[in-house]
Each structure stands twice: as C-alpha cells, then as structure tokens.
Amino acid sequence: MIDVQQLRALVELSRLGTVSAAAESLGFSQSTVSHQLAALSCATGAVLLTRAGRGVRLTEEGRALAIRGQEVLDLLDRTEREVVSMAQAESGRVRLAAFPSAVASLVPGVLDVVGQQYPGLEVELVDAEPPEALDALRRGRVDAALSFSYIDDDAGEGLHAEHLFDDVLYLVTHPGGITRIADGAQCRWVTGCARCHEELIAVGRANGFTPETAYASDDYVAVQALVAAGVGAALLPGMALSAYRHEGVQVRPLAREQRRVEVVTRAEQPRPLAIDVLVDACRTATRRTSLRRPAVRAGGSAASR
C-alpha cells in the first residue's frame, strides 16, 4: 500500500530535482527521505529512481507516479480543508424536517439566522409532520426536526427534544358559529393531521361532546376556507394562524389547550457543530418571531370551557 508521506517525498523530488532539496522542503533528513523513496519503490514493485552521477533521477514509472501523486496530494489537501470547514460549520449541508405551519412561520427565521451567521452552511428543508419527521431523524435521513406534541411526552429512545415554546390552540369559527368550545356538539368540525384530530377528540371529550368530523385536511389554509364557508368549526394552533389568517373566520384562544413545539435531534454525543448551529438558530428564531398570540379580532374573547 502506498504511504502518503512516501508519495509526498517522491513528488518533492520530482519538483526540486535532488534528494537533499526534497529533504529540506519536507523538514526531514536526507537519509529519511532516501528511506521513504526506497520503501515506496518496494511497495509499488516499480523502479522509480536510477543513479545519475552523484544524484538520482526519476524513471518513466517514477515520473508517472509523481504526476499522479501530485493529483492525490492536491485532492487530500482539498478534502482536509473541506472537512475542517464543515467541522467549523463554515460550509456543508444540514437537513431539517419541519411540519407545515412551522415551515410557514418559524423556519424563515431559522434560515435567516443561519444565513447571517454561517453563510456557507446550507440548510436543506424537508416538509414532514412529526411522526414522519421523527422517523426520518431516527433513520439518519435528516439531522434535526421541528416537532410538536399535545402532551408532555418523551421524543423516544435515542432522541433528544428541546422545548421551544407552547403554541396556544384557538377555536376557529365562521361569523354566527359557536363561541365556546363547550358548545362543540352544536356543530360539525374540520380537522387536521392525525395528531390534531386526536387532540380535537380529547378536547371534545373533556367538554362533554364527541366531535362530528365534516372534513379533514393537513392544509390549514383549506381548513380556514372551509370554516369560513360554514362547513364547521376547527381547532388551529397559533403558528398556523400567524402564518395565514382567513378574513372570514373568527378566532378565540382556548384557556387551557396548547401544544409543545420542540426541536429534536439524535441524542448521540458529540455531534457536528452544524447541528448545534441549527438548534441555536431555532432558539433565536423563536425569540424573534411572534408566534404565541395571533391578533384576535373584535368579538374573539377567550373560548373557555
């Protein structure tokens, strides 16, 4: 097997012409460089040098190997620089999974923070609801995930979740619709993703009714359009209402209902600096972005139980 240091000795000899000059350039003794060249010849099975008076000259095989060796050394040097740059988060790519309302409301701030502080670091965005996002994280397909849960549960084995903030839930109705969640039996409901649907059922049971679902959609824009058209009421988190607000709906914050928004990473340590950069950007974007309390229009008082 060709040793890199031996190859470097051959390249320096080819460049400078003498063993003594190569030795001085590399910071070794002349005998050390001569030994490296002999070992390289033995490793390749090729005659790389011949005597030329008091010195040596490269054979055709030696010149060919020196030319290729320079290419290899250049590639190694470039690779080392790239790896160091990635380790310092100066370049490279980090993959973030996020659910739709986070993509619309929080992620732009995350990308802005990363772009300002680490312009060479690319953030690849994957649109995914929490179950799929966490599965992708476990499988190594993404490096971090913005997720949410309606109960204070663990992210799962091998994952670490950092709480960013609590996202308040809102009763969303059309004008003339119910004004209290306790009246939920009087209307039908437009529901969202699987987790959101489970939360709607839990809220309904806590208030003495079983929600009758009229329509289900992961698209919070479509949900609001259906509510505005009188199809039914809905529960939507503040992030969704911060990202988009239909003119034809009324919203009222629920007194005690919210979801935990988290940034989740693999629990392994140590981890690449780029992931720490991404997590810190999520914290910073959360502080800078007003997500907790979307404006409530006139007539939109708290929808208490």
Side-chain angles (χ1 to χ4, degrees):
M1 180 179 293
I2 295 177
D3 179 84
V4 172
Q5 194 55 56
Q6 296 168 3
L7 191 61
R8 199 178 297 276
L10 181 69
V11 169
E12 285 299 280
L13 175 61
S14 174
R15 185 173 71 88
L16 299 173
T18 67
V19 173
S20 60
E24 183 178 357
S25 173
L26 294 170
F28 296 137
S29 67
Q30 187 170 335
S31 62
T32 297
V33 172
S34 295
H35 177 74
Q36 290 173 337
L37 293 170
L40 181 60
S41 180
C42 181
T44 59
V47 177
L48 303 176
L49 306 173
T50 61
R51 285 286 176 185
R54 293 185 179 181
V56 295
R57 64 178 177 81
L58 271 64
T59 64
E60 183 176 349
E61 293 94 332
R63 289 192 296 272
L65 182 56
I67 292 171
R68 187 65 70 190
Q70 184 65 67
E71 296 174 359
V72 171
L73 294 175
D74 289 344
L75 179 59
L76 285 173
D77 289 343
R78 184 166 69 251
T79 300
E80 182 179 2
R81 290 194 302 272
E82 289 174 352
V83 170
V84 170
S85 179
M86 291 173 66
Q88 296 174 351
E90 295 174 350
S91 66
R93 181 181 64 176
V94 63
R95 297 158 297 178
L96 174 66
F99 52 96
S101 58
V103 172
S105 58
L106 182 59
V107 169
V110 174
L111 299 181
D112 180 63
V113 172
V114 174
Q116 291 289 333
Q117 298 181 357
Y118 296 88
L121 183 62
E122 176 188 356
V123 179
E124 179 182 329
L125 186 61
V126 178
D127 196 339
E129 293 287 354
E132 294 77 17
L134 297 183
D135 182 64
L137 183 59
R138 292 187 186 94
R139 295 174 181 269
R141 295 173 181 168
V142 297
D143 301 300
L146 284 169
S147 181
F148 68 84
S149 62
Y150 288 101
I151 56 175
D152 188 8
D153 58 354
D154 188 81
E157 185 177 356
L159 299 181
H160 172 72
E162 179 173 331
H163 178 231
L164 294 176
F165 67 97
D166 293 322
D167 192 16
V168 174
L169 294 187
Y170 288 74
L171 172 64
V172 183
T173 63
H174 64 90
I178 63 172
T179 58
R180 302 186 310 148
I181 190 68
D183 296 329
Q186 300 176 16
C187 66
R188 296 197 299 169
W189 290 84
V190 181
T191 187
C193 69
R195 281 191 175 187
C196 299
H197 180 65
E198 291 173 1
E199 178 64 8
L200 172 61
I201 292 174
V203 170
R205 288 174 178 169
N207 285 273
F209 70 93
T210 299
E212 179 186 352
T213 301
Y215 192 80
S217 174
D218 291 344
D219 186 343
Y220 53 84
V221 175
V223 168
Q224 292 185 56
L226 291 170
V227 171
V231 173
L235 291 185
L236 284 178
M239 292 180 79
L241 293 168
S242 295
Y244 172 79
R245 179 73 168 274
H246 195 290
E247 290 291 332
V249 302
Q250 294 181 345
V251 302
R252 297 172 174 85
L254 299 186
R256 288 176 284 177
E257 304 297 342
Q258 58 192 21
R259 63 180 185 177
R260 290 172 53 86
V261 178
E262 305 164 325
V263 56
V264 187
T265 58
R266 287 183 291 277
E268 58 194 25
Q269 292 290 340
R271 64 188 184 188
L273 177 59
I275 297 179
D276 290 331
V277 167
L278 186 59
V279 170
D280 187 62
C282 290
R283 298 190 199 106
T284 302
T286 299
R287 292 193 299 269
R288 293 179 179 177
T289 308
S290 178
L291 300 170
R292 295 173 176 80
R293 291 284 180 179
V296 178
R297 294 195 180 93
S301 58
S304 64
R305 291 180 175 176

